[in-house]
Amino acid sequence: MKISELSPDSRRGGSRSPSAPAASPPIEELEAAISAAEFLSPSDPSASAVAARLRAAISRLASIPSPLPDPTRLHLWKLSYRLWNACVDLSNASPAATPSPCLADLRLAAADILLLAGAPPGVPSPELKSASFFLKTGLAYHDLRRLDLAAKCFERATDLISTVPIHGEEERNLLLEVNLARSRTAWEDSDRNLAIALLNRSKNLAATSPAAFKALAEQYLQCAKLDLSNRSQEGVGPISDASKLLSEALDLCEKGILEAKGRASGEKLALESLRERCLKFIAAERLGAGDYEGVLRCVRVLRDGNPSAGEHASVGYVAMRAWLGMGRVEEAEKELRAMMATMGVATEGVVLAAAELFVGVAGAEEGKRVVEGLVGRCQTGAATALRLVRRVAEGGNGTAAAATRVSVVAELAGDDKVVAAFEVPAAAKERAAMHALLWNFGADHFRLKDYHTSAEMFEKSMLYVPNDEENRARRSNCFRVLSLCHLGLAQLDRAQEFIDEAEKLEPNIKCAFLKFKIYLQKKDEKQAITQMQTMVSCNDFNPEFLTLSTHEAIACQSFPVAVSSLALLLNLYSPGKPMPMSEVATLRNLITLLHRSSDTDHEILKYTKHARMRMTELGADNFFGKGAVRSRELNWFAGTSWNMGLKTGKNKRFDFCAEFMELAAEFYSTSFDGNEGNPAMVWKSLILSVGAMISVEEQLKITLASSDIKKAIEMLNRAGKILSTLPPSIDQAGEESTLIFLHTFNTYQLLNRLDVNDIRSQQLQLIKNFASLKACLPEHLLHLGLAASQGALPNLDAAEFSLNACLSAALALPSPDYRIISIAIRKLAGLGQVHGNDAAYSIYKQAYQIIVGLKEGEYPVEEGKWLAMTAWNKSGMAVRLRQVDTARRWMKMGLDLSRHLPGMNIYTREMEQCFENFEKLCGGSNSFTSEAEETGTRSIS
């Protein structure tokens, strides 16, 4: 509102009075700046420059020596009002509610000009008018939160008023207004002592005016509210300032009401309303301090003071909180139900907040009654139910409280009234939120493995999923988690029912996998394997699910299912296709699982062959990997093939043994990191593989195909080449010497199958080469000799060489094995028949020379008896042929052998008697000393 107490000359653009003095340069500069201000618009950017010009002009004017002439002061007064009116115009024309800093600076300039003008003659109450300018300017700065400038303006206003005697109502009200504004600014500037001092100083100014009482009480209340707000934000407990300030405000209201008696009813009603507000804030402050009795006293005063009028919901709210704080739930529930009954007076928000608080403190059972009562009363029943059910779900501690809470939430969520409140189209958002609340509640219990509770919550959540096409996926998801819950509870039939329903709504890999898990739990391996094949045909199938299926099957100790899962996964590998694990790892795991089952040698062989095939197709680097991974994987497959070869060979499953050893040779021969594999293991594997092939022929009484024979010979030739590259010490160890013998023995046998002219010479040369090795042992030569002397086409030359070499090697040992020697002599004796009596006799004579001098029993007794008896029996044929000398020689050999063998005494006496009769008949010598013995005696002597 414009200030126009002066003559019309003070209006904007007014001409100068004829009696006005000539303007000095500072005044002219000031007047020019004011004229510029009068033409400013609210959005003019030059406003700050005009304010700066005014400050500069005022500074120059203040430097003029005082006092100013009266006409000059009056002229300044008019200029000040012109500037102030310009500020009023700008303020009214400004569209923004926020005050402008430039406008406040212009107001300050007008107040400063008025202060410089002083008290010109003819102007009534100039000090009060100047103080009013500074008061309004300070309020503008206060609104801008420039509290320092506001405080200075209020201080100037106070100083101006203090120069005037306070007699009338106008002076008293102005000073009160200045004090209140100054107090408010000091409080907000954290100068509480000054603020309270100014408020106390203002009590005398308000002594006779109800309006003044109200204004002062309002300021006390405002300071108390600010104090409570700051304390709440800082997290500090309530202090005495707020309580004292509220008490002062209440006291001022009481005094103002007494003062307003007999006056206009509006002033009394305003004070009573303010008194009610003070009581509410006192109750709130006491509630924060924990003084519940004090809260209830305030509530009683509020209710007694105006019993006929409707009660605001906040009164019942603080009363309910006080009763809850005192632990008196029944009284608190009465207050809440009273608020619910007067829902038309109280807002739903307050009642709902009270209900939430009550449910959180009183517990689930009491909260259930409140929820049921509120859902039908509130206009937004779905939102109300949602908030209160959430509060019930979140409240309470301890196992018992949690159990009760779960039960109540389930009952509330399943209540027909509650469900009906969510079925209206306008409650779609709340329905989704309710579903999410129950779903999350169930998920929390599921993570705690409380499957019974989680199943109940998931079932209730389905009540809030619309049964339409748009929500098919959500309903399917609910059925799936219910299936999981019942699976955790081992209720497999119920789990299958739910997953079947989920699959009807949304058939996908998740449903298929859950059905697979259920079959596993039921130990139905056949159905589980069939279900895995169904999984592969799903549109959203991912090979990762087969890996998960393998883990599930292993956890259930269902190894056939795990093997089938990996076998399915193995069929999915193709170049460039991303897979959950490498193909070699899948094969390794598959073979490892097969080892856990019995009678799976054929399966292990099948997948080991598959590994070899993939290694050949992809290359060792691409299949096994690189670096240490490749070395580890390759060694694993090689070692597994070797061990399986040994196992099947031990179990006399020579067909498997031959193939496993061949695979081992291939894996061991694969090079890595620049190394040529493991030649020693390749050599061993090749020899054992060929040996197993020959054993299959003997075991099954079949004949090897020519291609197999050719393949075996190639393998042995390869082994021979490898042996030549091995360290020389390899043929001195026990195991290696046996393998070298097997290599020679198998080669000899396979040479018999070849249709080659010089085969016998090759066999003989083979044995000669072997006999020259350090690894050659007498027993090896004996086996070769026996093998050469048997069969449909014996090689007598090779047999004789082997047996003679065996005899020589055995006799050369420090401790000869006479069992081997005796077998070799018997075989040589048999071969000697082919070359005539002289050759045979030389073998017996050699045997006799070996036996002479041995300890009793050192030479096998049965073998010695055989020699003696066969030598004696050979004389019978010579007697019948009238070959007396030959007969005599064989008889003497048999007799001499029997004399050096234990257990042949009876035979020896009979032989001596027979030989004596033979000599009588043939006219021989009477001497019983054999020629061999005489020769031996001469040799010994």
Side-chain angles (χ1 to χ4, degrees):
M1 185 176 180
K2 291 186 178 181
I3 301 172
S4 56
E5 290 87 351
L6 298 178
S7 64
D9 295 335
S10 63
R11 290 194 300 270
R12 183 182 306 175
S15 59
R16 184 178 298 172
S17 172
S19 60
S24 64
I27 295 177
E28 290 178 354
E29 184 180 350
L30 181 63
E31 188 171 0
I34 291 173
S35 298
E38 288 174 332
F39 291 98
L40 287 174
S41 63
S43 58
D44 197 336
S46 62
S48 58
V50 172
R53 287 175 59 190
L54 285 170
R55 286 196 298 270
I58 292 170
S59 298
R60 293 181 60 188
L61 188 62
S63 63
I64 296 175
S66 58
L68 295 173
D70 289 340
T72 302
R73 288 193 291 173
L74 183 60
H75 185 58
L76 289 175
W77 189 272
K78 294 177 182 180
L79 291 176
S80 173
Y81 269 83
R82 281 176 58 191
L83 180 58
W84 187 268
N85 289 338
C87 293
V88 173
D89 289 340
L90 285 174
S91 179
N92 292 336
S94 177
T98 305
S100 170
C102 294
L103 187 57
D105 292 340
L106 293 175
R107 288 182 182 271
L108 180 59
D112 286 337
I113 293 171
L114 206 61
L115 182 63
L116 286 175
V123 177
S125 304
E127 294 84 359
L128 296 182
K129 289 183 172 55
S130 181
S132 176
F133 272 33
F134 278 108
L135 172 62
K136 294 174 182 178
T137 304
L139 292 174
Y141 279 121
H142 184 274
D143 291 339
L144 290 168
R145 309 305 301 165
R146 299 177 66 176
L147 301 181
D148 53 343
L149 294 178
K152 289 180 181 179
C153 290
F154 295 145
E155 289 172 5
R156 288 185 182 180
T158 304
D159 293 339
L160 288 169
I161 296 173
S162 64
T163 61
V164 179
I166 306 299
H167 297 298
E169 191 73 19
E170 181 183 2
E171 293 87 350
R172 184 178 291 105
N173 289 339
L174 181 59
L175 182 57
L176 177 62
E177 190 176 355
V178 172
N179 284 345
L180 293 180
R182 188 179 174 193
S183 173
R184 183 166 57 252
T185 302
W187 186 277
E188 295 180 12
D189 201 23
S190 301
D191 193 353
R192 295 191 175 195
N193 294 330
L194 176 60
I196 294 174
L198 289 169
L199 290 175
N200 291 332
R201 190 186 303 170
S202 301
K203 289 180 181 180
N204 294 330
L205 300 173
T208 60
S209 173
F213 276 116
K214 180 179 178 298
L216 185 57
E218 284 276 11
Q219 187 56 45
Y220 270 107
L221 178 60
Q222 183 65 24
C223 291
K225 288 166 62 177
L226 290 173
D227 183 68
L228 289 174
S229 176
N230 292 337
R231 292 294 166 178
S232 176
Q233 292 176 2
E234 295 172 4
V236 182
I239 58 173
S240 59
D241 281 353
S243 179
K244 291 179 180 179
L245 292 169
L246 289 170
S247 297
E248 291 285 354
L250 182 62
D251 185 56
L252 287 170
C253 289
E254 298 286 354
K255 292 179 180 179
I257 291 171
L258 292 175
E259 184 67 27
K261 284 183 179 181
R263 299 194 182 190
S265 59
E267 293 181 344
K268 184 178 179 182
L269 289 175
L271 284 165
E272 288 177 348
S273 176
L274 181 59
R275 171 179 174 272
E276 184 178 346
R277 288 170 55 201
C278 291
L279 284 170
K280 291 177 183 177
F281 275 100
I282 291 174
E285 187 272 334
R286 289 292 86 202
L287 189 65
D291 182 10
Y292 304 118
E293 292 287 350
V295 175
L296 295 175
R297 285 196 298 271
C298 290
V299 171
R300 282 193 292 270
V301 172
L302 281 168
R303 288 173 175 172
D304 294 342
N306 197 7
S308 59
E311 181 181 293
H312 193 268
S314 60
V315 178
Y317 178 79
V318 294
M320 185 203 72
R321 287 194 59 181
W323 288 121
L324 286 176
M326 296 172 68
R328 300 174 66 174
V329 179
E330 294 182 1
E331 285 79 0
E333 187 173 356
K334 290 178 183 178
E335 294 286 350
L336 179 58
R337 291 197 174 277
M339 294 168 63
M340 293 164 57
T342 58
M343 189 80 75
V345 177
T347 60
E348 284 189 15
V350 176
V351 178
L352 188 54
E356 279 191 282
L357 181 64
F358 177 81
V359 170
V361 176
E365 286 292 343
E366 292 77 5
K368 177 185 173 185
R369 298 194 296 268
V370 173
V371 175
E372 291 172 347
L374 268 178
V375 169
R377 294 176 180 270
C378 294
Q379 294 180 359
T380 57
T384 300
L386 175 63
R387 287 180 62 177
L388 294 180
V389 170
R390 179 182 286 118
R391 195 68 184 89
V392 172
E394 294 173 352
N397 295 314
T399 305
T404 304
R405 186 168 72 250
V406 168
S407 175
V408 171
V409 169
E411 290 182 24
L412 287 174
D415 187 84
D416 293 339
K417 292 182 180 179
V418 175
V419 175
F422 286 88
E423 290 181 350
V424 297
K429 182 178 179 182
E430 287 76 12
R431 177 189 289 183
M434 186 69 165
H435 169 75
L437 172 66
L438 296 172
W439 178 276
N440 294 334
F441 198 40
D444 291 340
H445 285 275
F446 186 87
R447 283 189 286 271
L448 297 173
K449 300 188 183 302
D450 184 3
Y451 300 120
H452 179 77
T453 301
S454 61
E456 188 174 15
M457 289 299 107
F458 288 135
E459 285 187 17
K460 299 302 179 185
S461 73
M462 289 194 69
L463 296 173
Y464 300 91
V465 180
N467 191 11
D468 54 18
E469 190 68 23
E470 187 177 337
N471 289 277
R472 285 174 64 91
R474 183 178 292 181
R475 294 203 310 279
S476 175
N477 198 26
C478 291
F479 281 125
R480 281 201 303 272
V481 296
L482 282 170
S483 177
L484 276 174
C485 293
H486 289 286
L487 190 62
L489 293 170
Q491 298 173 357
L492 303 181
D493 292 335
R494 288 284 288 161
Q496 189 158 3
E497 290 176 12
F498 281 117
I499 199 60
D500 288 341
E501 291 297 324
E503 195 170 33
K504 290 177 186 177
L505 291 169
E506 188 185 24
N508 55 26
I509 184 62
K510 296 177 183 177
C511 295
F513 180 71
L514 273 181
K515 291 184 75 173
F516 165 77
K517 287 189 66 171
I518 293 170
Y519 288 133
L520 271 183
Q521 294 290 336
K522 288 184 173 182
K523 304 298 182 184
D524 192 346
E525 294 183 348
K526 183 178 179 182
Q527 283 292 343
I529 293 173
T530 304
Q531 186 61 32
M532 275 195 302
Q533 295 169 349
T534 305
M535 287 165 52
V536 177
S537 63
C538 291
N539 293 331
D540 56 345
F541 169 74
N542 189 316
E544 186 69 39
F545 280 95
L546 287 178
T547 306
L548 293 175
S549 301
T550 304
H551 291 305
E552 292 289 340
I554 293 173
C556 295
Q557 297 293 305
S558 182
F559 298 116
V561 178
V563 169
S564 298
S565 175
L566 290 175
L568 283 174
L569 183 63
L570 198 61
N571 295 330
L572 302 178
Y573 283 91
S574 61
K577 183 178 180 179
M579 297 294 284
M581 59 181 173
S582 63
E583 186 175 6
V584 67
T586 302
L587 275 167
R588 171 167 44 78
N589 292 328
L590 179 56
I591 294 172
T592 302
L593 289 173
L594 286 170
H595 277 291
R596 298 193 179 190
S597 303
S598 59
D599 196 22
T600 55
D601 294 347
H602 61 291
E603 291 290 321
I604 296 174
L605 179 60
K606 170 186 171 183
Y607 289 109
T608 309
K609 284 183 175 180
H610 185 83
R612 177 187 62 181
M613 179 190 71
R614 296 296 289 168
M615 177 185 72
T616 305
E617 291 176 354
L618 302 176
D621 285 342
N622 294 329
F623 181 66
F624 290 115
K626 297 182 179 180
V629 175
R630 170 179 174 171
S631 175
R632 183 170 60 251
E633 296 287 0
L634 186 57
N635 287 336
W636 188 90
F637 277 94
T640 300
S641 302
W642 171 266
N643 292 333
M644 285 301 299
L646 295 179
K647 174 189 171 183
T648 51
K650 184 178 180 181
N651 295 334
K652 299 190 181 305
R653 304 187 71 175
F654 298 117
D655 50 345
F656 288 144
C657 176
E659 294 197 67
F660 275 120
M661 285 301 178
E662 183 180 354
L663 290 170
E666 292 199 38
F667 287 126
Y668 278 123
S669 63
T670 303
S671 61
F672 59 91
D673 294 338
N675 299 321
E676 294 298 328
N678 192 334
M681 293 302 296
V682 175
W683 171 68
K684 293 178 183 180
S685 302
L686 290 171
I687 293 172
L688 292 178
S689 178
V690 174
M693 292 170 64
I694 297 173
S695 298
V696 171
E697 184 182 39
E698 296 174 357
Q699 185 182 46
L700 302 180
K701 307 300 182 183
I702 60 175
T703 303
L704 287 176
S706 59
S707 59
D708 292 335
I709 294 173
K710 183 178 180 182
K711 175 183 175 182
I713 290 177
E714 289 176 354
M715 292 169 68
L716 290 174
N717 290 338
R718 182 183 171 194
K721 293 177 181 178
I722 293 174
L723 179 62
S724 64
T725 64
L726 296 178
S729 60
I730 197 71
D731 60 351
Q732 296 180 5
E735 180 183 345
E736 281 72 12
S737 65
T738 303
L739 289 172
I740 294 173
F741 161 70
L742 286 177
H743 177 266
T744 305
F745 184 80
N746 294 335
T747 305
Y748 181 90
Q749 287 190 307
L750 290 173
L751 286 174
N752 274 335
R753 318 294 175 84
L754 298 179
D755 187 12
V756 182
N757 294 330
D758 59 343
I759 189 67
R760 296 183 181 281
S761 60
Q762 289 184 29
Q763 290 177 327
L764 178 60
Q765 186 60 42
L766 176 68
I767 295 175
K768 287 182 178 179
N769 292 339
F770 175 68
S772 65
L773 298 176
K774 293 181 180 180
C776 179
L777 299 177
E779 55 266 30
H780 297 158
L781 293 169
L782 176 62
H783 283 293
L784 288 171
L786 294 176
S789 63
Q790 297 171 355
L793 297 172
N795 189 338
L796 299 182
D797 293 338
E800 186 175 357
F801 176 82
S802 297
L803 293 172
N804 283 321
C806 171
L807 194 59
S808 300
L811 291 172
L813 294 175
S815 299
D817 187 347
Y818 288 100
R819 182 186 62 82
I820 294 176
I821 293 172
S822 64
I823 295 173
I825 288 176
R826 176 186 282 217
K827 279 295 178 181
L828 284 171
L831 293 175
Q833 297 290 348
V834 179
H835 300 292
N837 282 331
D838 291 339
Y841 183 80
S842 63
I843 297 299
Y844 279 84
K845 185 176 181 180
Q846 186 178 9
Y848 172 75
Q849 292 173 344
I850 292 171
I851 293 172
V852 172
L854 294 180
K855 296 178 182 179
E856 183 176 343
E858 194 170 1
Y859 193 89
V861 175
E862 294 299 324
E863 291 295 326
K865 288 181 179 180
W866 181 87
L867 286 172
M869 297 299 289
T870 55
W872 180 266
N873 291 337
K874 288 181 182 295
S875 66
M877 180 61 69
V879 169
R880 285 193 292 272
L881 295 175
R882 305 298 182 179
Q883 297 175 356
V884 177
D885 293 336
T886 301
R888 180 181 291 111
R889 185 170 57 174
W890 282 113
M891 291 175 72
K892 287 182 178 180
M893 178 57 69
L895 183 59
D896 289 341
L897 287 169
S898 66
R899 289 172 179 172
H900 291 84
L901 293 172
M904 294 196 68
N905 295 332
I906 297 175
Y907 292 103
T908 301
R909 286 196 296 271
E910 291 180 357
M911 287 179 183
E912 288 176 348
Q913 185 176 0
C914 287
F915 185 72
E916 184 178 356
N917 293 334
F918 174 78
E919 287 295 329
K920 287 180 180 180
L921 290 174
C922 295
S925 171
N926 292 328
S927 173
F928 290 98
T929 304
S930 68
E931 180 182 353
E933 187 176 21
E934 289 177 351
T935 304
T937 303
R938 288 196 300 271
S939 175
I940 292 171
S941 60

